[in-house]
């Protein structure tokens, strides 16, 4: 089991932290959530450092906070901030039954149930764009799992070695 943590910074808006365990079948178990307003970066880092975590996936928009995490000795991983691709990756994990959420993660569950997109305008072909409110835990989930999903895709592709001769194909 590998323990991961997604971190969304906040002060006025809540900081959102998710503790996620990845099992040997690549299921992601969201075990615990922490949402707090009025917490400084130092307070957040001190709190999350108290957990035995293999890797932290923080909001990449705050490089100074990421450097503070590194200086505190936390194993920080790079995060891709591409919102649409990240949502698609997490959606795929949900579709494949790879995400399990503990019933105690009520704020995250509420965010999932209320997540929505801007209304489509008539006769316009506009990209789907999520409404950015009440999604702090979802952001933390995306920071962590987007990277995990893309690692799985790379592994799956690199393991595919076709055997052309077995199917009657020749190399000429």
């Amino acid at each position: 089991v590998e323990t991961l943590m997604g971190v969304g910074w906040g002060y006025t808006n809540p900081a959102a932290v998710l503790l996620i365990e990845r099992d040997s079948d690549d299921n992601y178990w969201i075990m615990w959530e922490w949402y707090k307003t009025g917490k400084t970066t130092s307070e957040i880092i001190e709190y999350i450092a108290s957990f035995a975590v293999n890797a932290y996936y923080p909001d990449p928009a705050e490089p100074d906070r990421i450097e503070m995490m590194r200086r505190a000795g936390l194993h920080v991983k790079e995060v891709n901030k591409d919102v649409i691709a990240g949502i698609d990756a997490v959606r795929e994990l949900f579709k494949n039954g790879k995400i399990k959420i503990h019933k105690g993660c009520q704020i995250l569950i509420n965010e999932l149930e209320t997540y929505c997109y801007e209304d489509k305008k008539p006769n316009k072909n506009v990209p789907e764009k999520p409404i950015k409110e009440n999604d702090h835990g979802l952001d933390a989930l995306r920071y962590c799992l987007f990277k995990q999903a893309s690692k799985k895709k790379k592994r799956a592709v690199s393991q595919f070695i076709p055997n052309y001769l077995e199917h009657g194909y020749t190399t000429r």
Side-chain angles (χ1 to χ4, degrees):
V1 173
E2 182 180 25
T3 305
L4 312 169
M5 189 171 275
V7 181
W9 304 109
Y11 185 82
T12 304
N13 286 315
V17 177
L18 299 176
L19 185 71
I20 302 168
E21 292 184 354
R22 182 176 65 116
D23 66 21
S24 59
D25 294 323
D26 289 320
N27 292 304
Y28 297 93
W29 300 82
I30 292 88
M31 304 301 292
W32 165 89
E33 66 181 16
W34 185 73
Y35 289 73
K36 295 288 180 188
T37 57
K39 295 293 180 185
T40 65
T41 300
S42 296
E43 289 172 321
I44 295 166
I45 291 171
E46 180 181 347
Y47 184 72
I48 64 177
S50 69
F51 291 86
V53 172
N54 299 97
Y56 295 86
Y57 294 85
D59 182 345
E62 307 286 347
D64 56 325
R65 293 177 179 191
I66 292 169
E67 183 57 29
M68 288 177 71
M69 290 177 74
R70 287 191 173 110
R71 289 180 184 180
L74 303 181
H75 187 225
V76 179
K77 295 289 201 163
E78 293 296 317
V79 172
N80 187 326
K81 186 88 174 178
D82 185 335
V83 175
I84 301 303
I87 290 170
D88 288 344
V90 172
R91 181 184 295 133
E92 197 62 31
L93 289 170
F94 270 114
K95 281 184 185 177
N96 292 325
K98 293 295 187 179
I99 297 176
K100 320 291 186 190
I101 303 174
H102 188 278
K103 66 182 179 181
C105 298
Q106 288 298 304
I107 300 172
L108 179 64
I109 292 167
N110 183 61
E111 287 183 4
L112 282 162
E113 291 174 345
T114 59
Y115 197 71
C116 58
Y117 290 83
E118 292 178 1
D119 290 334
K120 190 172 182 178
K121 296 179 177 46
N123 302 320
K124 299 273 184 184
N125 188 13
V126 294
E128 290 184 349
K129 188 175 177 188
I131 296 174
K132 292 294 297 163
E133 66 180 37
N134 299 321
D135 63 350
H136 308 291
L138 292 176
D139 285 344
L141 183 67
R142 178 172 43 84
Y143 301 145
C144 186
L145 296 188
F146 181 17
K147 198 72 167 183
Q148 301 302 312
S150 60
K151 279 198 297 193
K152 276 305 285 177
K153 282 182 185 175
K154 286 178 187 171
R155 274 188 248 145
V157 170
S158 65
Q159 292 176 356
F160 177 70
I161 303 170
N163 185 345
Y164 296 107
L165 299 175
E166 187 176 295
H167 298 286
Y169 297 107
T170 64
T171 56
R172 290 189 216 173

